Amino acid sequence: MYIINKLKTTCIIGLCILSFSSFSQNNKFKVTLDAGHGAHDFGAVYKGHVEKNIALAVVLKVGKILENQPNFEVNYTRKTDVFIGLVERANIANRVDANIFVSIHCNANKNTAAFGTETFVMGMSKNASNLAAAKKENEVVTLEKDYKQKYEGYDPNSPETLIGLTLMQEDILNNSISLAAKVEDSFDGLGKKVRGLSQAPFMVLHKAYMTRVLIEMGFISNPAEGDKLDSEDGQNEIANAIAEAIISYKKEYFGNGAIENDEDRPSKKIIDKPVKDTTIPVKKEEKIIKEVVKKEPAKKETIKEVEKEVIKKSAVIFKVQIAASSKKMDLEPSNFNGLNNIDFESNGTVYKYTYGQTSDYSEAKKNLAEAKAKGYNSAFLIAFKNGKSISVKDAIK
């Protein structure tokens, strides 16, 4: 418990050090590129295909493309075959106040038929394959000297430790989801199999205090995909797709100049379903309910629908975000561990699923507790005011 509390405290402090101010000062969009593994840490190896070499080759190509773009500043966790600890990789990004951190890897599986790309954001997942992927990457810490002291007892095989890595600040998660979705869209444009956007507790992402994603470019264990990833043409193709996604993210959310105010942050620009602020006296709300029930006595959902509209008329609305995915799902309780009252918002590429909605903060916290009790350990509260997304801190002032 001490380790988890220490991890949470460190994360809270770090999340306060966001990088938007640095962009506004010099108009440079700072990107930290991380080539996974290195030196004695080979990563995945299959029939001559070595993950550390492929990751580095692609990172250098992505960096070269971005360096030729206006208003970009690129730095690297490594540019040669050296070993860099997981926390140090993140700290490199933290020290330069990077706007985004992109860690690039190759996947592998005993099932050599497995193929396709996948992009991860930081978070807990109940999906066994996602947890296995995070565990595999996190095991790198055991190659570092005095890792038990350095990571304060961190054990990559401990579920409790993994849970301790999942504390998220909502705007970092939303920004990361937006970038990850653009990466997967770019891969889809190449005709690749897109396995989707996922959440998993990667140590290297946990320690980076900005928009952060981990990209699995494909499976080197798959004979055809491995050959492609280890080829000049294949690497150029992947590098162009990743660079295109980063450029698109920067252009959409940061434009060509500085961020002038909080409303221009990416987390504020994710397109949400409009929540109209049409506050009216209570008596009129009661009249609306009575009239609708009178006109539509046969519809069982009428009262619920009207109650939902009445809630929307409140100045502030709280919801619980339980998941995000590039796939649209039916809003059936069976798809959400038995939870009812599920809704979603979408920006066209990412679906953010939410549970419940209320103007009562105490009720919202109960909804959050219920969602976590149902297995959504990384669920968190989000808030809206006058149709715009705001921080929960501002909502409860």
Side-chain angles (χ1 to χ4, degrees):
M1 181 59 69
Y2 172 76
I3 297 170
I4 294 174
N5 288 337
K6 286 281 287 182
L7 284 168
K8 288 183 177 180
T9 301
T10 302
C11 188
I12 291 170
I13 294 171
L15 287 173
C16 295
I17 311 171
L18 295 176
S19 60
F20 293 98
S21 59
S22 64
F23 181 72
S24 62
Q25 291 170 0
N26 60 18
N27 287 350
K28 292 288 186 179
F29 183 74
K30 297 179 181 180
V31 179
T32 295
L33 297 176
D34 173 47
H37 309 282
H40 55 283
D41 173 21
F42 284 70
V45 179
Y46 187 86
K47 290 192 174 180
H49 304 311
V50 182
E51 180 180 2
K52 68 170 185 173
N53 297 335
I54 297 172
L56 180 59
V58 172
V59 156
L60 294 177
K61 291 176 185 295
V62 173
K64 187 174 182 180
I65 295 170
L66 296 180
E67 286 168 354
N68 289 324
Q69 295 293 316
N71 298 321
F72 270 86
E73 181 178 314
V74 182
N75 73 299
Y76 306 80
T77 58
R78 69 181 183 97
K79 297 183 76 172
T80 58
D81 187 19
V82 294
F83 179 79
I84 308 292
L86 293 182
V87 169
E88 177 57 19
R89 291 170 186 268
N91 283 341
I92 289 171
N94 295 334
R95 285 195 291 268
V96 299
D97 289 330
N99 295 101
I100 65 172
F101 176 80
V102 180
S103 188
I104 295 178
H105 295 254
C106 297
N107 219 331
N109 197 294
K110 291 181 180 179
N111 175 14
T112 58
F115 69 104
T117 68
E118 194 164 15
T119 303
F120 289 90
V121 298
M122 178 65 195
M124 179 52 74
S125 171
K126 292 182 69 179
N127 184 294
S129 64
N130 291 359
L131 290 173
K135 179 182 173 183
K136 181 180 68 175
E137 297 292 352
N138 291 345
E139 283 176 346
V140 172
V141 302
T142 62
L143 299 178
E144 300 180 40
K145 293 180 180 179
D146 302 321
Y147 81 91
K148 289 185 178 180
Q149 290 75 30
K150 190 174 182 180
Y151 292 93
E152 299 177 333
Y154 172 81
D155 180 0
N157 297 307
S158 166
E160 290 79 12
T161 302
L162 290 178
I163 292 171
L165 297 179
T166 61
L167 185 63
M168 287 292 297
Q169 198 231 29
E170 64 184 81
D171 59 349
I172 287 183
L173 176 58
N174 284 331
N175 298 352
S176 300
I177 288 170
S178 297
L179 176 57
K182 286 183 178 294
V183 171
E184 289 295 279
D185 282 347
S186 287
F187 287 153
D188 185 57
L190 296 177
K192 292 185 174 295
K193 178 183 178 181
V194 173
R195 299 170 69 90
L197 185 161
S198 304
Q199 287 182 270
F202 289 98
M203 172 67 83
V204 71
L205 297 184
H206 160 63
K207 291 291 186 177
Y209 305 130
M210 70 284 298
T211 297
R212 57 219 176 162
V213 299
L214 186 146
I215 300 170
E216 296 283 7
M217 300 179 287
F219 287 77
I220 60 173
S221 52
N222 180 287
E225 196 161 67
D227 288 343
K228 183 76 171 178
L229 288 169
D230 215 355
S231 70
E232 186 72 13
D233 287 344
Q235 290 169 7
N236 284 334
E237 186 178 73
I238 287 285
N240 277 306
I242 294 173
E244 179 184 300
I246 293 172
I247 293 167
S248 175
Y249 175 85
K250 187 261 183 186
K251 182 178 180 181
E252 181 174 350
Y253 295 129
F254 290 80
N256 295 317
I259 294 179
E260 297 179 354
N261 56 58
D262 183 68
E263 289 303 314
D264 288 328
R265 290 186 175 185
S267 61
K268 307 301 181 185
K269 293 184 69 175
I270 292 178
I271 301 171
D272 293 301
K273 288 184 176 180
V275 183
K276 296 181 179 179
D277 178 26
T278 53
T279 307
I280 56 177
V282 176
K283 289 183 179 180
K284 288 188 178 181
E285 290 175 357
E286 292 174 351
K287 184 178 180 181
I288 291 172
I289 295 173
K290 290 177 181 179
E291 287 179 354
V292 176
V293 173
K294 185 177 180 180
K295 293 179 181 179
E296 305 278 356
K299 288 187 178 181
K300 293 182 180 180
E301 296 299 319
T302 299
I303 295 177
K304 288 184 179 181
E305 290 171 0
V306 174
E307 287 175 344
K308 185 178 287 189
E309 287 302 314
V310 170
I311 290 174
K312 285 186 178 182
K313 291 176 172 60
S314 301
V316 174
I317 293 173
F318 298 99
K319 297 183 180 182
V320 179
Q321 184 167 319
I322 59 174
S325 174
S326 58
K327 297 180 180 179
K328 185 176 181 180
M329 299 173 63
D330 291 334
L331 305 182
E332 299 293 333
S334 58
N335 289 333
F336 298 92
N337 296 346
L339 288 175
N340 289 292
N341 197 15
I342 299 296
D343 200 358
F344 72 88
E345 283 115 21
S346 174
N347 64 358
T349 56
V350 176
Y351 295 91
K352 297 190 295 179
Y353 294 94
T354 60
Y355 166 62
Q357 65 172 24
T358 178
S359 58
D360 187 327
Y361 180 57
S362 296
E363 186 68 25
K365 289 193 291 185
K366 291 180 182 178
N367 289 342
L368 176 61
E370 186 177 351
K372 289 189 174 184
K374 290 286 189 178
Y376 292 100
N377 295 311
S378 57
F380 56 90
L381 288 178
I382 57 176
F384 301 89
K385 184 175 182 179
N386 299 331
K388 293 182 179 180
S389 175
I390 61 171
S391 70
V392 173
K393 182 179 178 180
D394 288 339
I396 61 178
K397 283 182 179 179

